[in-house]
């Protein structure tokens, strides 16, 4: 009897929420969405005898449905499902985010499911709706896994987040399944190895300067082996660390980030890569001209990145202007010059992005 | 009418007119222990940067009616250009999971009722509406 009382006391001592929060409330669901359509034109100058290749096309950017629901005072739910189209003209459905979140306080929130890894400013601030971001596309370093990106921008697992020091120090941390055997595999229901990805991101947001932040992040993971692929017989230790700085006080948008990726493969050796960008934009009423420089540096020979299209040393200059012609409709006119090891390209995009 | 009478009539008219121009005030539920906030804190509350009161109660924002003088005063106080800009900010905050949904825009008496019904609610209303409800007017430094 005494042992039972002790156990119950321990239980409610550790989990006081069980005795404090009670009762269901009326459920409400909020549905929002984002979409974009665009026209692209590109001229690619291939190195060697490849010559020039030009193309122009309209593109349906897909629809990003964003569903949230406040389940109780402390629990909320978020789902982001994207309907998009492949280059082959097929439609796909991707559940990009699915999170059940418990909010204890400003200092501590815990979410479980699939979300965006604690991996830098852009990955936390901008997800899949292009209306939310100034440019037509993400920085090269933050491309999604299935778009040829080199970072693990999605996680499946746990996320702790909050703001300490009276809101001046924001943190986000993950414990998650980690990378799959190939770059665009996000391990949704299984984990190919027993080790977990661990990440931590801190951002200092001083009270004295609103909309300014500076921070750093670190990610550690062990990438499982892929014996079916030559050169991938062993696991790869992955260490990613980066820094970010931003100021987004109207009318300015200044963002700079760098991410370093280190791979340690028992057989192939160690490889160091990095990616960075710097973006500047300035709002003049409903117009926002912008410029971004992207840099990607890939050390050759890394078995995890070998043979992936677009994963090579790259420098890209992007210049454009965003016009918010209505509250939730924006037009973006953009030019990009991309210089890689294998080609140079000039590309233009006119994108209509919207929220609903 | 003599000049004296005419001037007296003008003074009375001005007095009546000035008392008819309502002042915007910030109200909270009486169970909310907060007595006052700074202008900066008001901005943090309405821009979703502070989402819980000091006792852990979730902040429930109530916006003034669209186009009202209280809305104009609130936007000016928190440094937001327009109602459109505020709506866009809220959509971004929803996307970042900072808030659950866009706050409701209510007329003064509905706003008072909403604040009376929710311990964490905060609203900006005219002072005559505030005095008619069981809510607390809090001091806002700089407003």
């Amino acid at each position: 009897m005494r042992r039972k009382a002790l156990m119950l006391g321990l239980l409610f001592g550790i989990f006081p929420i069980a005795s404090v929060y009670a009762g269901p409330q009326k459920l409400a669901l909020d549905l929002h969405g984002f979409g974009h359509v665009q026209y692209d034109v590109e001229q690619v100058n291939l190195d060697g005898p490849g010559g020039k290749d030009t193309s122009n096309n309209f593109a349906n950017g897909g629809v990003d449905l964003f569903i949230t629901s406040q389940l109780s005072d402390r629990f909320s739910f978020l789902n982001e499902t994207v309907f998009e189209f492949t280059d082959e003209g097929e439609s796909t459905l991707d559940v990009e985010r699915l999170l059940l979140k418990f909010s204890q306080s400003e200092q501590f929130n815990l979410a479980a499911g699939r979300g965006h890894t604690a991996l830098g400013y852009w990955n936390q601030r901008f997800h899949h709706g292009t209306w939310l971001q100034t440019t037509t596309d993400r920085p090269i370093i933050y491309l999604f896994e299935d778009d040829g990106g080199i970072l693990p921008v999605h996680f499946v697992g746990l996320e702790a987040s909050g703001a300490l020091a009276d809101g001046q120090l924001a943190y986000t941390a993950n414990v998650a399944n980690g990378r799959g055997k190939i770059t665009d595999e996000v391990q949704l229901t299984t984990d190919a190895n027993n080790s977990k990805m661990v990440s931590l991101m801190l951002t200092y947001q001083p009270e004295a300067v609103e909309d300014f932040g500076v921070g750093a992040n670190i990610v550690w993971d062990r990438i499982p082996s892929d014996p079916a692929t030559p050169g991938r017989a062993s696991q790869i230790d992955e260490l990613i660390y980066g820094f970010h700085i931003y100021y987004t006080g109207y009318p300015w948008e200044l963002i700079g980030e760098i991410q370093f990726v280190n791979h340690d493969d028992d057989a192939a050796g160690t490889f160091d890569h990095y990616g960075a960008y710097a973006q500047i934009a300035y709002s003049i009423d409903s117009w926002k001209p912008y410029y971004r420089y992207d840099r990607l540096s890939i050390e050759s020979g890394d078995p995890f990145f070998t043979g992936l299209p677009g994963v090579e040393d790259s420098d890209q200059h992007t210049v454009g202007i965003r016009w918010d012609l209505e509250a939730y409709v924006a037009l973006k006119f953009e030019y990009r010059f991309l210089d890689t090891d294998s080609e140079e390209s000039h590309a233009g995009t006119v994108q209509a992005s919207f929220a609903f | 009418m003599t000049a004296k009478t005419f001037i007296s009539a003008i003074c009375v008219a001005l007095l009546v007119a000035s008392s008819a121009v309502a002042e915007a005030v910030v109200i909270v539920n009486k169970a909310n222990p907060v007595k006052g906030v700074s202008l900066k804190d008001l901005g943090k509350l309405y821009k979703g940067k502070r989402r819980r009161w000091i006792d852990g109660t979730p902040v429930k924002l109530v916006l003034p009616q669209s186009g009202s003088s209280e809305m104009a005063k609130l936007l000016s106080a928190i440094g937001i250009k327009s109602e459109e800009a505020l709506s866009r900010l809220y959509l971004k905050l929803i996307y970042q999971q900072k808030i659950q949904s866009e706050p409701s825009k209510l007329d003064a008496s509905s706003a008072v009722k909403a604040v009376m019904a929710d311990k964490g609610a905060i609203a900006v209303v005219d002072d005559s509406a505030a005095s008619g409800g069981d809510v607390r007017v809090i001091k806002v430094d700089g407003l």
Side-chain angles (χ1 to χ4, degrees), chain A residues 303-323:
Chain A
F304 195 59
F305 293 147
T306 297
L308 292 178
V311 180
E312 55 185 333
D313 286 356
S314 309
D315 290 278
Q316 178 165 276
H317 299 270
T318 301
V319 61
I321 189 161
R322 174 182 169 132
W323 175 30

Side-chain angles (χ1 to χ4, degrees), chain B residues 6-75:
Chain B
F6 179 74
I7 290 167
S8 301
I10 296 291
C11 287
V12 167
L14 283 171
L15 200 64
V16 168
S18 65
S19 68
V21 172
E23 190 184 320
V25 293
V26 178
I27 58 171
V28 296
N29 186 286
K30 276 200 165 167
N32 189 331
V34 74
K35 298 283 188 294
V37 296
S38 65
L39 208 55
K40 198 163 190 174
D41 282 341
L42 187 70
K44 282 185 181 179
L45 289 164
Y46 271 95
K47 290 186 210 176
K49 292 181 181 180
R50 180 152 290 159
R51 295 181 289 282
R52 288 185 182 269
W53 296 104
I54 203 155
D55 64 352
T57 306
V59 173
K60 181 168 169 82
L61 300 172
V62 177
L63 291 172
Q65 213 165 19
S66 192
S68 65
S69 59
E70 287 77 28
M71 175 64 90
K73 191 137 193 182
L74 174 64
L75 292 174

Side-chain angles (χ1 to χ4, degrees), chain A residues 80 106 128 132 166 207, chain B residues 40 44 50-52 95:
Chain A
E80 188 170 11
E106 295 275 9
H128 296 265
L132 292 153
D166 201 28
E207 173 100 12
Chain B
K40 198 163 190 174
K44 282 185 181 179
R50 180 152 290 159
R51 295 181 289 282
R52 288 185 182 269
Y95 201 61

Side-chain angles (χ1 to χ4, degrees), chain A residues 30 32 34 64 66 68-70 73-74 76-78 80 97 99 101 103-106 124-129 131-132 159 166-167 207-211 250 285 324 326-328 355-356, chain B residues 38 40-41 43-45 47-59 78-81 83-102 105 118:
Chain A
D30 285 286
H32 292 280
F34 304 91
D64 173 8
F66 185 66
T68 56
S69 183
Q70 191 72 36
D73 269 357
R74 299 288 183 182
S76 61
F77 168 73
L78 172 154
E80 188 170 11
R97 290 198 287 167
L99 289 165
K101 183 175 175 180
S103 294
Q104 168 65 26
S105 62
E106 295 275 9
Q124 286 289 298
R125 185 60 62 95
F126 304 112
H127 300 276
H128 296 265
W131 176 85
L132 292 153
E159 176 185 271
D166 201 28
E207 173 100 12
V209 186
E210 201 174 342
D211 300 317
Y250 183 86
D285 291 329
D324 281 281
E326 297 285 343
Y328 298 108
F356 55 90
Chain B
S38 65
K40 198 163 190 174
D41 282 341
K44 282 185 181 179
L45 289 164
K47 290 186 210 176
K49 292 181 181 180
R50 180 152 290 159
R51 295 181 289 282
R52 288 185 182 269
W53 296 104
I54 203 155
D55 64 352
T57 306
V59 173
I78 64 175
I80 299 284
K81 277 182 60 181
E83 284 188 51
E84 257 183 26
L86 190 62
S87 285
R88 285 203 292 265
L89 171 66
Y90 286 137
L91 181 56
K92 290 174 186 176
L93 291 176
I94 291 167
Y95 201 61
Q96 292 163 30
Q97 295 183 265
K98 301 279 174 65
I99 62 172
Q100 189 55 37
S101 58
E102 183 163 351
K105 293 177 185 173
D118 192 314

Side-chain angles (χ1 to χ4, degrees), chain A residues 35-38 40 57-63 83-86 354:
Chain A
H36 69 272
V37 292
Q38 63 191 50
D40 298 303
N57 56 270
F58 291 97
N60 190 336
V63 172
F83 300 83
E84 51 192 356
F85 305 92
T86 67
F354 50 92

